[in-house]
Amino acid sequence: MTDSDTLARAFKALSHPNRLAIYHEFVSYWEQGREASVDQVPAGCLLAEGIKRLNIGAPTVSHHIKELVDAGLITTSRQGRQMFCAIDPKMRERLRTFFESPAKP
């Protein structure tokens, strides 16, 4: 898969308002110093915390989380009945690089 294909998949996932809101919530959590890989689950972003802040039903959130994972935007891990999410830092950097690079003619 080319870099353009990867970015297009991410943009497609983020084109839905609920997925954009969920991703934004996780990015905000991550930027507040709560960055964690799924290997550091206790410090990760507990999915239930994000759901509480959004006006989106749990089944809908599960669907959108799957789409964000499939697009490579986030990773998830389960610990018992709880699911933790983490921003994929490599994809975050790819998105940042895309938006900061000069436009091509």
Side-chain angles (χ1 to χ4, degrees), residues 2-3 5 13-14 22-26 29 33 49 53-54 56 58-60 80 82-85 92 96 103:
T2 68
D3 195 48
D5 292 336
L14 293 173
I22 292 166
Y23 186 70
H24 184 262
E25 188 67 32
F26 293 150
Y29 192 86
E49 287 180 35
R53 293 185 208 126
L54 302 169
I56 306 169
T60 302
Q82 297 180 328
M83 181 182 285
F84 293 84
C85 299
R92 175 96 165 121
R96 182 186 321 277

Side-chain angles (χ1 to χ4, degrees), residues 7-101:
L7 288 171
R9 177 182 263 177
F11 294 143
K12 182 178 179 186
L14 293 173
S15 70
H16 190 283
N18 286 341
R19 285 193 289 270
L20 185 59
I22 292 166
Y23 186 70
H24 184 262
E25 188 67 32
F26 293 150
V27 168
S28 296
Y29 192 86
W30 180 72
E31 287 178 344
Q32 293 172 13
R34 297 182 182 117
E35 176 183 2
S37 71
V38 291
D39 297 331
Q40 301 166 319
V41 169
C45 181
L46 180 60
L47 183 56
E49 287 180 35
I51 292 172
K52 287 179 192 174
R53 293 185 208 126
L54 302 169
N55 191 18
I56 306 169
T60 302
V61 170
S62 294
H63 167 74
H64 291 312
I65 292 296
K66 181 185 180 313
E67 293 293 323
L68 293 171
V69 169
D70 290 347
L73 292 160
I74 64 171
T75 58
T76 60
S77 177
R78 280 199 180 275
Q79 187 174 32
R81 293 178 53 195
Q82 297 180 328
M83 181 182 285
F84 293 84
C85 299
I87 297 298
D88 184 311
K90 291 178 185 171
M91 179 58 85
R92 175 96 165 121
E93 185 57 33
R94 286 171 105 172
L95 293 171
R96 182 186 321 277
T97 300
F98 174 82
F99 284 113
E100 290 178 352
S101 64

